[in-house]
Amino acid sequence: MLRKCLEDIAPYSPGKPIDEVKRELGLEEVYKLASNENPLGPPESAVEAMKLAAGKVSLYPDADAFELKSALAKFHDVKRSQIILGDGSNELLKLLSLAFLNPGDEIIMPKPSFGEYSRTAKLCDASVKAIPLTEDYVIDLPAMVAAISSKTKIVYICNPNNPTGTVVDKQLLKQMMHRMKDIIVVLDEAYFEFVQDENSPDGVAFFKEFPNVVSLRTFSKAYGLAGLRVGYGICHEEIVAAINKVREPFNVNSLAQVAAIAALNDGEYLEKSIRHNAVERDFLYNELKKRGFQVVPAEANFMLVDVVRDSVEVFQGLLKKGIIVRSADIFGYPTKIRLSVGLHKENEAFLKALEEYMGI
Ligand SMILES: Cc1ncc(COP(=O)(O)O)c(C=O)c1O
């Protein structure tokens, strides 16, 4: 009964939920540094906006999200018609695949990177060319471009890349654009707001210069609204129109819409969130280096740490101490963990647990 293409697809495996770990291990205090969430909690402004809107949830949401799209259009200086919203940016990856990939078409993605590019392509019976990163853990743009064939429809550039946290160079990307003219170039910028490297590209600026670029952003990370599921794409009207054909009409619920507007207008929260991440990312990086660990310098709110041992075992060892991280084994790094930046006390607790576990 099952479609053939599903045989090769594994369901998404999320980070372990805090309550599950508490229940299973009988722990009272558990810190999750596994899913690249915002440790500051949601913006108060967004919570207040949802309280006000809660009394209206008997009505369907605005299917076209007029207010949210208007706010985003103003924020990015683009047209409302160049914005598409998703149930998280994750949904937009699926919608892009559904709208553009026929069986036999091909996507090109970095390896390792966010698994949803390949999962959603395979759902459409498309094939996946996964191009290894450079030795510095950076997306190899020339190699990706060299891999383009007549079947290639979409090239995914995850910037910063998950799980490495590294960014591509905007000049190099610009040079490569003329070789990707007939292809949709998706810049997945889920962690865009955290980037400090000025040589990293801004996908929205790229879209303004190259109409085949799709910039994907999200309210899940720097804006602290992961549980609400709001992501958006900025792209050409024709791509928006295509995605609208496969989109479920009410894919962004009414509370998510008002919360996203409030968060977008809450510059203070965003600034705090970016500052916190920069400070704590440096703290973790320096403390880990001091203890002799190799860490990939990251521009996102997570980092890859080489724990030198089997990282699945390290994951389990830390779990018993109430710290949830992610083994990077699934990304092809058997001795690395992916660590999300937490609150200062969570980061300290992680360092202490790691020291205890490793006996250092
Ligand atoms: C690279 C990347 N893209 C997209 C997403 C999806 O984010 P969301 O669906 O919450 O917007 C994530 C989530 O972790 C991610 O790491």
Side-chain angles (χ1 to χ4, degrees), residues 2-247:
L2 208 63
R3 284 177 61 212
K4 186 110 186 66
C5 65
L6 297 192
E7 285 171 12
D8 191 26
I9 296 177
Y12 179 75
S13 115
K16 249 181 147 21
I18 292 177
D19 287 341
E20 190 181 305
V21 176
K22 281 187 179 166
R23 229 177 13 245
E24 283 177 2
L25 297 176
L27 295 168
E28 278 187 7
E29 188 96 89
V30 171
Y31 296 145
K32 184 177 174 201
L33 303 174
S35 297
N36 309 337
E37 291 150 333
N38 196 318
L40 301 180
E44 199 47 46
S45 54
V47 175
E48 287 308 313
M50 284 191 285
K51 281 186 194 160
L52 283 175
K56 291 194 195 149
V57 293
S58 49
L59 303 175
Y60 282 105
D62 176 359
D64 190 41
F66 180 87
E67 297 293 345
L68 176 54
K69 281 192 187 172
S70 302
L72 285 167
K74 191 165 164 228
F75 188 83
H76 289 294
D77 192 20
V78 295
K79 296 185 202 150
R80 284 184 69 255
S81 55
Q82 294 169 327
I83 297 170
I84 184 84
L85 294 170
D87 183 26
S89 55
N90 219 318
E91 190 200 17
L92 290 169
L93 298 171
K94 183 160 130 196
L95 298 180
L96 276 163
S97 295
L98 286 175
F100 290 100
L101 299 178
N102 284 314
D105 285 343
E106 174 185 275
I107 67 147
I108 295 179
M109 63 175 281
K111 180 183 173 184
S113 191
F114 194 48
E116 292 295 286
Y117 313 140
S118 61
R119 202 176 68 87
T120 60
K122 286 178 188 169
L123 267 181
C124 300
D125 269 315
S127 61
V128 178
K129 266 191 197 159
I131 309 298
L133 306 182
T134 67
E135 279 179 5
D136 300 330
Y137 302 95
V138 176
I139 292 177
D140 192 341
L141 288 177
M144 297 212 2
V145 168
I148 291 171
S149 77
S150 57
K151 292 182 184 160
T152 311
K153 282 262 184 82
I154 304 177
V155 171
Y156 283 103
I157 299 166
C158 185
N159 199 62
N161 188 42
N162 182 1
T164 54
T166 52
V167 291
V168 297
D169 180 84
K170 69 176 161 202
Q171 291 310 333
L172 183 59
L173 179 61
K174 209 165 246 192
Q175 283 166 30
M176 296 291 142
M177 284 309 297
H178 72 279
R179 291 173 61 191
M180 300 194 276
K181 268 200 219 99
D182 305 321
I183 296 161
I184 296 173
V185 178
V186 177
L187 276 167
D188 179 353
E189 303 183 290
Y191 305 96
F192 173 82
E193 295 81 4
F194 296 121
V195 175
Q196 292 182 311
D197 183 346
E198 286 176 3
N199 295 318
S200 179
D202 171 343
V204 177
F206 262 74
F207 156 70
K208 289 176 185 172
E209 197 173 338
F210 304 99
N212 58 326
V213 165
V214 178
S215 162
L216 289 185
R217 304 272 176 102
T218 182
F219 284 94
S220 297
K221 310 294 178 183
Y223 291 96
L225 299 179
L228 285 176
R229 318 299 305 121
V230 200
Y232 60 99
I234 294 188
C235 53
H236 194 280
E237 281 96 335
E238 284 178 28
I239 298 181
V240 172
I243 294 179
N244 271 332
K245 292 189 186 188
V246 289
R247 180 176 71 87

